[in-house]
Structures are given as C-alpha cells and as structure tokens.
Amino acid sequence: MNAALDGSSGTADTPIRILAPIDGMVLRVPAPDARVVVPGEPVIEIGDVTRLEAVVDVLSTDAVQIRPGAPVEIVRWGGERALA
C-alpha cells in the first residue's frame, strides 16, 4: 500500500512537495537517489550561507600569530573566487 503525504493519490514517480522550515540554500543532499525514507530521516540540508562558519586546522606556529577579527580568505573551496 502506498502512503500519500499530501493527501493526493499519485504514482511512485509523482514528486511530493516538501516545504522547508527556514529560508536558505541547499548545502547537502545526504542520499540523492530515490528511496524510501523513514520519519525523521534527513532528506536535505539547508542553511543560511551568510551565517556559515568554517573550522580549520592550523599549525601551532601559525595559530599564535592569528588575532581575533583578522581578515581571512578561503581559496580552493570549489568556487571561482576566494571567500572573504
């Protein structure tokens, strides 16, 4: 028996519209293939790209020279230009 989330009867190939609880951009799709999901299982990761945080590993000798508020550029992240 097929369960319909939106109350309509459709086929397995019929997309179901799922509204996100926040505004943002898609950051990651854990399993992009069509599959059965269980309640509570993440299907998409959405985030506010203006509020992302980067965690980086830095050598101890370099870390002591970094001051709070210092400008940072992230390069080779997958995009064409550096991120400030």
Side-chain angles (χ1 to χ4, degrees):
M1 182 166 134
N2 291 334
L5 295 178
D6 61 358
S8 66
S9 59
T11 67
D13 295 335
T14 304
I16 296 173
R17 184 177 180 171
I18 301 173
L19 298 177
I22 63 166
D23 289 334
M25 293 185 66
V26 174
L27 302 176
R28 187 171 71 94
V29 179
D33 298 329
R35 62 188 165 68
V36 174
V37 295
V38 297
E41 182 180 356
V43 292
I44 196 165
E45 186 175 306
I46 300 172
D48 180 352
V49 295
T50 64
R51 299 183 57 105
L52 291 179
E53 181 177 290
V55 177
V56 297
D57 292 322
V58 180
L59 295 174
S60 299
T61 54
D62 294 331
V64 296
Q65 298 175 27
I66 300 172
R67 300 287 172 240
V72 175
E73 281 191 350
I74 300 174
V75 296
R76 292 183 287 198
W77 58 275
E80 295 180 16
R81 60 184 177 92
L83 298 176

mmCIF file of all heavy atoms in Angstrom, residues 54 56 66-67 69-75 82-84:
data_model
loop_
_atom_site.group_PDB
_atom_site.id
_atom_site.type_symbol
_atom_site.label_atom_id
_atom_site.label_comp_id
_atom_site.label_asym_id
_atom_site.label_seq_id
_atom_site.Cartn_x
_atom_site.Cartn_y
_atom_site.Cartn_z
ATOM 1 N N ALA A 54 33.442 28.404 9.346
ATOM 2 C CA ALA A 54 34.476 27.479 8.882
ATOM 3 C C ALA A 54 35.351 27.068 10.059
ATOM 4 O O ALA A 54 35.755 27.906 10.860
ATOM 5 C CB ALA A 54 35.336 28.136 7.806
ATOM 6 N N VAL A 56 38.918 25.261 10.740
ATOM 7 C CA VAL A 56 40.124 24.882 10.006
ATOM 8 C C VAL A 56 41.214 24.418 10.965
ATOM 9 O O VAL A 56 41.257 24.835 12.123
ATOM 10 C CB VAL A 56 40.656 26.060 9.154
ATOM 11 C CG1 VAL A 56 39.655 26.468 8.100
ATOM 12 C CG2 VAL A 56 41.009 27.247 10.015
ATOM 13 N N ILE A 66 47.605 34.392 14.724
ATOM 14 C CA ILE A 66 46.256 34.767 14.309
ATOM 15 C C ILE A 66 45.571 35.538 15.427
ATOM 16 O O ILE A 66 45.536 35.096 16.572
ATOM 17 C CB ILE A 66 45.427 33.521 13.938
ATOM 18 C CG1 ILE A 66 46.099 32.759 12.792
ATOM 19 C CG2 ILE A 66 44.003 33.927 13.561
ATOM 20 C CD1 ILE A 66 45.457 31.430 12.485
ATOM 21 N N ARG A 67 45.031 36.686 15.103
ATOM 22 C CA ARG A 67 44.349 37.532 16.080
ATOM 23 C C ARG A 67 42.846 37.525 15.819
ATOM 24 O O ARG A 67 42.426 37.438 14.658
ATOM 25 C CB ARG A 67 44.869 38.967 16.013
ATOM 26 C CG ARG A 67 46.359 39.094 16.292
ATOM 27 C CD ARG A 67 46.626 38.879 17.781
ATOM 28 N NE ARG A 67 48.055 38.818 18.038
ATOM 29 C CZ ARG A 67 48.674 37.770 18.577
ATOM 30 N NH1 ARG A 67 47.995 36.704 18.914
ATOM 31 N NH2 ARG A 67 49.960 37.791 18.788
ATOM 32 N N GLY A 69 39.327 38.631 14.779
ATOM 33 C CA GLY A 69 38.895 39.653 13.834
ATOM 34 C C GLY A 69 39.799 39.818 12.628
ATOM 35 O O GLY A 69 39.544 40.668 11.777
ATOM 36 N N ALA A 70 40.864 39.020 12.552
ATOM 37 C CA ALA A 70 41.776 39.125 11.417
ATOM 38 C C ALA A 70 41.052 38.712 10.134
ATOM 39 O O ALA A 70 40.235 37.797 10.147
ATOM 40 C CB ALA A 70 42.998 38.235 11.631
ATOM 41 N N PRO A 71 41.329 39.404 9.011
ATOM 42 C CA PRO A 71 40.683 39.027 7.749
ATOM 43 C C PRO A 71 41.170 37.649 7.280
ATOM 44 O O PRO A 71 42.319 37.280 7.513
ATOM 45 C CB PRO A 71 41.109 40.122 6.779
ATOM 46 C CG PRO A 71 42.340 40.708 7.371
ATOM 47 C CD PRO A 71 42.223 40.530 8.861
ATOM 48 N N VAL A 72 40.273 36.917 6.654
ATOM 49 C CA VAL A 72 40.580 35.565 6.187
ATOM 50 C C VAL A 72 40.051 35.398 4.778
ATOM 51 O O VAL A 72 38.987 35.915 4.449
ATOM 52 C CB VAL A 72 39.921 34.515 7.111
ATOM 53 C CG1 VAL A 72 40.131 33.114 6.577
ATOM 54 C CG2 VAL A 72 40.424 34.636 8.518
ATOM 55 N N GLU A 73 40.778 34.682 3.936
ATOM 56 C CA GLU A 73 40.301 34.308 2.610
ATOM 57 C C GLU A 73 40.344 32.792 2.497
ATOM 58 O O GLU A 73 41.342 32.172 2.858
ATOM 59 C CB GLU A 73 41.168 34.915 1.510
ATOM 60 C CG GLU A 73 40.881 36.358 1.223
ATOM 61 C CD GLU A 73 41.572 36.831 -0.048
ATOM 62 O OE1 GLU A 73 42.425 36.109 -0.602
ATOM 63 O OE2 GLU A 73 41.247 37.939 -0.484
ATOM 64 N N ILE A 74 39.255 32.218 2.002
ATOM 65 C CA ILE A 74 39.205 30.775 1.779
ATOM 66 C C ILE A 74 39.291 30.555 0.276
ATOM 67 O O ILE A 74 38.453 31.035 -0.482
ATOM 68 C CB ILE A 74 37.913 30.166 2.354
ATOM 69 C CG1 ILE A 74 37.861 30.422 3.856
ATOM 70 C CG2 ILE A 74 37.840 28.671 2.042
ATOM 71 C CD1 ILE A 74 36.581 29.989 4.511
ATOM 72 N N VAL A 75 40.337 29.843 -0.158
ATOM 73 C CA VAL A 75 40.558 29.575 -1.578
ATOM 74 C C VAL A 75 40.460 28.068 -1.823
ATOM 75 O O VAL A 75 40.507 27.270 -0.894
ATOM 76 C CB VAL A 75 41.929 30.114 -2.041
ATOM 77 C CG1 VAL A 75 41.980 31.624 -1.912
ATOM 78 C CG2 VAL A 75 43.067 29.489 -1.249
ATOM 79 N N ALA A 82 37.869 33.653 -4.260
ATOM 80 C CA ALA A 82 38.112 33.448 -2.825
ATOM 81 C C ALA A 82 36.925 33.966 -2.019
ATOM 82 O O ALA A 82 36.266 34.924 -2.408
ATOM 83 C CB ALA A 82 39.392 34.169 -2.401
ATOM 84 N N LEU A 83 36.663 33.315 -0.908
ATOM 85 C CA LEU A 83 35.614 33.770 0.017
ATOM 86 C C LEU A 83 36.276 34.580 1.120
ATOM 87 O O LEU A 83 37.260 34.141 1.717
ATOM 88 C CB LEU A 83 34.889 32.577 0.630
ATOM 89 C CG LEU A 83 34.142 31.657 -0.319
ATOM 90 C CD1 LEU A 83 33.579 30.478 0.444
ATOM 91 C CD2 LEU A 83 33.042 32.408 -1.025
ATOM 92 N N ALA A 84 35.742 35.762 1.409
ATOM 93 C CA ALA A 84 36.295 36.592 2.482
ATOM 94 C C ALA A 84 35.631 36.218 3.792
ATOM 95 O O ALA A 84 34.459 35.941 3.833
ATOM 96 C CB ALA A 84 36.072 38.070 2.168
#
